[in-house]
Each structure stands twice: as structure tokens, then as C-alpha cells.
Amino acid sequence: MEIYKKPIGWLRGEGDFASVVVSTRVRLARNLSNYPFITSVTPQQAKEIDNYLVDKVSKLQLNMPFTVYRLHEMDDVDRRVLFERHLISSEHLNSKLNRSVAITENERVSIMINEEDHIRLQSLESSFNPKVAFEATNCIDDILSEVVSYAYDSKYGYVTCCPTNIGTGLRVSVMMHLPAIVYTKQIEKVIQSLTRVSYTIRGFYGEGTSPLGNFFQVSNQTTLGRSEQDIIEELVKVIPEIVRFETTWREKLSKDQGKNLENTIWRAYGVLKSARSITSEEALELLSAIRLGVNMKLIESVPLQVVNELFIMVQPGHLQKIYGQQMKEGTRDITRADLIREKLNKF
Amino acid sequence: MMCQICNDYPATIHITEIINDNKTELHICAECGKQKGIIGKKITFSLGDLVSGIIEEKTNVKTDELQVKKCSFCKMTFEKMRKIAKLGCVHDIGVFGEWLEPFIEKIHGSSQHVGKTPKQINQEAKKDIELAKLKKELQEAVKKEDYESAARLRDKIKNFGQNK
Ligand SMILES: [Zn+2]
Ligand SMILES: [Zn+2]
């Protein structure tokens, strides 16, 4: 599987609010009406569903054809690569059932088959772009709904395995980089105000108020009682508020503690450009500092996309593919440092 | 902090266990959590709590009657649904509707879909959604004291019933 070599389109670091918003993910949860849901399915039925949906998806008339990966037939490292590239979820990665994922060439759209629901349509976009991401899944959903019979109820809408997704089955998740808000200890405030308006915010690499790398995922909590457009429109009002808050504090930080901040960022850059062994925890923290430096125009030579992609490349699946071997923990830290040095010293 | 089991992914689940004054902490990633069955258990547990809370609030829900119900299509029982807080198939909506409605209402603050409909769907269902949408708009118009729109919507809703 060669997918690990490709640049990742949705990490290109262009678009609205790219300095704060890394990416926007939209997903629609769907199920078949004529089969039990994943909670109650037998392995044989799961196999049937998988074959049936792979066939239907492969035959869809689209401008952008799908490549199908049968996860149950792949080895663990290849599956991990798909997971690290956000093309499948951890639930999908670890399932024991027959399951597949269909991915478009540019990796913007993927269809998970036999995840928690029979069908999960997902779209990823660079920076803040919920409308485009929604349209990408919405049109595939329309086409698919002509050839398969969805589990649908006039009162509850699209019936999903978990009641928290019922209705539109729509979840929009925005990945945000909020180092200044975390540093100035105001994340609690942001969490509280988002929770009040029914949004979920959680750390991307770890939970709590200072997750690794200061990445957070903001998503809508409810899926029933509002239309897809309303859910997206509201997000279009909420997310820019957080972006403004983060940007204001970045400016304030650089005014009040400029030297301190510069020191942290350049030290991180120095370590990553010369370390001979680095844990994935330390790599994430230092890359986060560099990302801030690039966005604040302190580090001008390194493109944002390179930094964004390094967050993915330093993970075990990609490392093992790039260096072509199963690696033990200690060796992995060495190759991780090698990879980061190689990528950063080009600039 | 990295996962204490695999050391590959950042720990996103933090578990504190206190047995006889001995506190042990475990920090693991979502994947390992799933493999060890920790995540599944935790989520089920909290949703279960929420559910029993609702049942107590809504005393008109007769759990005795629900207790014996079973979905003939997916074999879901009330017992199991309460435990895992998940649906087994599309028919469970009808079979356990009495119990599901307050549960879903509690999660979403609503129990009526107003979003899109699949292409392959019968006309009757499409009309139901259309009607629900109009009713919601009417509610909002009344709230905003926009009586002109409210009157228009009320007439539309009336006509809707006749066409049906
Ligand atoms: Zn782990
Ligand atoms: Zn059922």
C-alpha cells in the first residue's frame, strides 16, 4: 500500500483561519433498513453487508472514483496508516468484523463500511470549510440513497446505532490549534461557553485542559431537531469567535512576552532539527511550538503544510512504512528523529 | 502523556481506581481502551445512568410492560438496550418507542427530525417531515410575535391535512 507517501490535501494549511483551524471534518451516519445494526449483527451478516456495500459503492457514477480497501484482509501497519491519516476511525481500525473503506484519490472523501453504523460518509477539508465538506458528503449520500434502502423514520430521521447520532446523523468536527488560549489559562472559559451552546470540545491528542500539542476538536453535540443547514450555519457563527479569541491572545502574548515566546519557539526548532532520538510525546509538543512560530511569521522558511504533515508522519504506522520495517519502541524514536531532521533541514 | 499500554499513541483515557485506600491511575489511548473493553464499559455505564434517571423522572413509562418486549427482527431485548443504550435495527424505534422517546428527547432537546430525506422514501414519510417543518416554523413565528407569518403557516398546516 503506497498511500503513506502521498501529500495530504486537507493539511495543506490554506483557507479560512488556517493559522488556527487545521481541518474540518463532516460525517454522515447511515444504516441499511434490511439488516440488523452493528450491535446485533452476526459475523456472517457483517460479511454480507460489507460485500453488498462495497459492490454498491464501486458502481456509483462519480467524477472521482473510489479506491476500496478491505480492512479485514490488510495487515496491521497498513490499517494504521489509514487511521493516522484520519481516513478510518479507531473503532473501525479495531473492529473484528469484515469491513472496508472507500477513499477518493485526493483523500477528501471516505466511506467507512461496518463502522459503528453500516455506512459512515466522511469528508475532510483544509482549515475551516464546513459547507464544502458537507456538500461533498451530501451529494454522495443522495446518490447512494437511490440504490440502497436506508434505515429512516419520519419522526427520528436517519436511524443510527447510537441515539446520540440519530436525526441528521451529521457531525461536524473542527480541529483547532489553541496554544495561546491554553498558555494564558483560558481554555476552561472556552470549554464552558461552548458546552453551554451544546458543543463538544475535547483534546485531540489527550483530554483535559492542556492536551498534547494544544489541539482541540470542536463538534456539534446534537443531531436531531435542526436541519443540516442550521447545524452548519451555527458553526459558522461559533468557530470564528474562538479563532478571534486565540488570535487576540497570540498578539497580546507576542507584545507582552515576545522574547519568552520567541525563545520557546526557536528552541523547539533547534531540538527538532538536531535531535537523534525523540519520543512521539516530545515531538508533538515541539511541533506544536513550531506550528505557532510559522503562523506568527517568526519561522518564515518552513511551509505550514510541512509542519501539519509531520504530525501524521511521526506516528508509528507511517514511520514503519517509510522505513520499511517492524520497529521496536527505541528504534522508532531514532527513526522519528531522523525523519523530522530530514524534513526540516530542507528549509 | 503517552499510553501506558502501547506507548504509541497519546493517552486520552484517564482512569483512577481506589481500592482499600490504594489509588491506582491508568492512562491509556482510545485504541487500547477499546481493546481492553474499557471505553465500551465506561460509555455504557454513563449512558445507563442517564437512562435510569429518565425512567424515574417519567413515571408514566411502564417498564414492566417494556420488560417483556423483544424485537423480532434483530432480537434486541429491553434489558440489552437499556444496558448498551444502542439500537439493534430500524424496527427498534417502534418496539421500544415508549422508552426511547424521552431518552432521545433528553439527548437532543427534540424528538422530531427536520433535516433531509433519502431519495428512496415513500411519499407519506416525506409529507410527515414537511408537516413537522411547518409546525416548527409556526412555533418560531409565534415566539417572535410575527403573527402574519404565523397565520400563513397555520393555513398551510390546515391544508396539509386535507391533501393527505
Ligand atoms: Zn495504547
Ligand atoms: Zn430490532
Side-chain angles (χ1 to χ4, degrees):
Chain A
M1 198 184 69
E2 303 286 281
I3 199 170
Y4 71 94
K5 288 180 187 161
K6 284 166 50 182
I8 299 174
W10 56 269
L11 283 178
R12 67 186 182 280
E14 287 164 11
D16 291 350
F17 312 126
S19 71
V20 179
V21 181
V22 180
S23 60
T24 309
R25 187 181 71 108
V26 161
R27 78 107 164 94
L28 294 173
R30 301 289 185 252
N31 286 282
L32 299 174
S33 63
N34 52 337
Y35 274 101
F37 293 171
I38 295 301
T39 37
S40 308
V41 89
T42 63
Q44 179 54 33
Q45 283 170 324
K47 195 173 157 186
E48 282 170 37
I49 296 167
D50 186 54
N51 289 339
Y52 173 75
L53 285 173
V54 164
D55 178 59
K56 292 290 178 196
V57 167
S58 315
K59 287 180 183 152
L60 292 181
Q61 294 295 316
L62 301 167
N63 302 332
M64 190 85 68
F66 283 107
T67 305
V68 176
Y69 296 90
R70 313 298 295 254
L71 297 183
H72 51 281
E73 292 169 3
M74 292 164 65
D75 73 47
D76 192 49
V77 178
D78 282 346
R79 272 198 297 258
R80 251 159 207 272
V81 167
L82 297 178
F83 166 66
E84 290 168 3
R85 293 172 91 86
H86 300 207
L87 296 166
I88 61 171
S89 63
S90 77
E91 175 135 6
H92 208 205
L93 174 73
N94 292 313
S95 164
K96 299 272 181 283
L97 300 171
N98 277 28
R99 63 207 190 281
S100 301
V101 62
I103 303 167
T104 54
E105 175 66 23
N106 57 17
E107 295 180 44
R108 277 186 174 166
V109 178
S110 70
I111 305 177
M112 284 177 255
I113 297 170
N114 284 349
E115 204 248 18
E116 183 185 81
D117 296 294
H118 294 147
I119 304 164
R120 288 267 175 113
L121 299 159
Q122 173 191 277
S123 171
L124 283 158
E125 281 293 324
S126 171
S127 67
F128 186 56
N129 212 344
K131 285 179 185 168
V132 170
F134 173 68
E135 262 327 302
T137 50
N138 191 34
C139 80
I140 293 171
D141 180 47
D142 282 344
I143 302 169
L144 197 58
S145 75
E146 284 175 9
V147 293
V148 304
S149 165
Y150 278 160
Y152 186 83
D153 179 86
S154 58
K155 182 173 165 64
Y156 294 112
Y158 295 90
V159 184
T160 52
C161 188
C162 184
T164 53
N165 296 320
I166 218 162
T168 56
L170 169 67
R171 184 92 55 215
V172 188
S173 305
V174 182
M175 186 170 166
M176 308 188 80
H177 189 214
L178 305 174
I181 291 179
V182 172
Y183 186 77
T184 56
K185 304 211 182 332
Q186 300 184 86
I187 193 69
E188 204 59 70
K189 229 198 258 173
V190 174
I191 294 174
Q192 276 169 18
S193 54
L194 279 173
T195 313
R196 255 202 308 278
V197 289
S198 276
Y199 281 87
T200 312
I201 175 167
R202 55 188 189 84
F204 197 80
Y205 303 103
E207 264 161 28
T209 50
S210 60
L212 276 182
N214 306 314
F215 288 100
F216 292 86
Q217 185 160 289
V218 179
S219 43
N220 61 304
Q221 206 167 55
T222 61
T223 51
L224 182 67
R226 287 186 301 158
S227 70
E228 291 82 358
Q229 283 69 27
D230 287 350
I231 291 171
I232 288 164
E233 282 305 331
E234 200 183 270
L235 211 68
V236 170
K237 286 183 205 136
V238 170
I239 297 296
E241 291 297 323
I242 312 173
V243 173
R244 253 191 296 282
F245 198 50
E246 167 71 18
T247 314
T248 311
W249 281 97
R250 282 184 191 179
E251 281 160 13
K252 203 167 153 42
L253 266 182
S254 87
K255 214 160 72 197
D256 301 349
Q257 307 182 41
K259 276 289 159 239
N260 241 332
L261 188 67
E262 272 180 48
N263 185 42
T264 308
I265 289 166
W266 286 111
R267 275 173 168 272
Y269 195 45
V271 169
L272 288 175
K273 283 181 85 158
S274 20
R276 260 51 183 174
S277 170
I278 192 164
T279 62
S280 111
E281 184 173 18
E282 190 183 6
L284 291 178
E285 291 293 6
L286 298 182
L287 281 170
S288 168
I290 289 193
R291 194 178 188 279
L292 182 63
V294 169
N295 283 322
M296 293 181 76
K297 309 262 184 293
L298 285 169
I299 301 174
E300 298 200 80
S301 55
V302 187
L304 185 53
Q305 171 153 20
V306 170
V307 183
N308 280 349
E309 283 189 349
L310 269 173
F311 283 98
I312 307 249
M313 301 296 159
V314 299
Q315 296 188 44
H318 275 80
L319 276 185
Q320 291 182 56
K321 287 301 276 190
I322 293 166
Y323 291 89
Q325 54 193 308
Q326 293 276 340
M327 276 179 280
K328 286 249 172 299
E329 180 65 19
T331 341
R332 226 177 265 170
D333 290 349
I334 293 167
T335 44
R336 183 178 294 117
D338 289 348
L339 177 85
I340 296 172
R341 276 203 325 278
E342 192 206 321
K343 294 270 176 197
L344 290 181
N345 285 326
K346 277 187 197 154
F347 302 97
Chain B
M1 179 181 301
M2 300 307 283
C3 172
Q4 289 177 341
I5 295 174
C6 69
N7 233 325
D8 282 338
Y9 290 99
T12 54
I13 305 162
H14 310 280
I15 300 158
T16 316
E17 211 172 40
I18 301 169
I19 302 166
N20 303 333
D21 290 339
N22 279 325
K23 196 167 127 187
T24 51
E25 283 183 30
L26 185 63
H27 308 278
I28 59 171
C29 72
E31 270 183 75
C32 291
K34 233 157 240 171
Q35 262 160 18
K36 304 268 164 207
I38 291 167
I39 290 194
K41 269 185 210 155
K42 215 176 145 199
I43 291 170
T44 308
F45 185 67
S46 59
L47 275 176
D49 278 357
L50 182 64
V51 175
S52 43
I54 296 164
I55 299 294
E56 276 158 36
E57 272 172 43
K58 299 245 170 181
T59 41
N60 56 337
V61 177
K62 296 185 190 70
T63 46
D64 291 357
E65 275 174 33
L66 277 163
Q67 212 79 49
V68 294
K69 283 193 177 164
K70 186 176 176 181
C71 172
S72 58
F73 184 72
C74 74
K75 313 283 180 258
M76 178 66 78
T77 60
F78 181 60
E79 199 75 24
K80 185 179 172 194
M81 177 173 284
R82 242 174 117 172
K83 211 165 112 202
I84 65 173
K86 288 196 175 156
L87 303 182
C89 78
V90 68
H91 308 289
D92 294 4
I93 286 281
V95 180
F96 306 102
E98 205 184 342
W99 179 79
L100 277 168
E101 180 157 2
F103 184 42
I104 290 173
E105 173 98 40
K106 179 113 178 176
I107 296 170
H108 298 282
S110 164
S111 51
Q112 177 61 55
H113 178 56
V114 289
K116 69 183 284 196
T117 54
K119 296 276 178 197
Q120 211 190 65
I121 186 182
N122 63 49
Q123 287 308 308
E124 204 60 25
K126 231 172 213 166
K127 273 189 184 163
D128 284 348
I129 308 258
E130 204 44 48
L131 190 61
K133 234 183 232 170
L134 288 173
K135 281 183 179 162
K136 200 184 169 202
E137 279 172 39
L138 175 62
Q139 251 178 25
E140 264 155 33
V142 172
K143 220 197 275 170
K144 277 190 242 154
E145 301 189 9
D146 177 359
Y147 296 114
E148 212 172 293
S149 306
R152 188 173 45 80
L153 286 162
R154 195 200 48 217
D155 291 345
K156 257 193 177 170
I157 291 168
K158 232 193 238 159
N159 290 334
F160 219 90
Q162 282 157 7
N163 291 345
K164 227 173 158 180

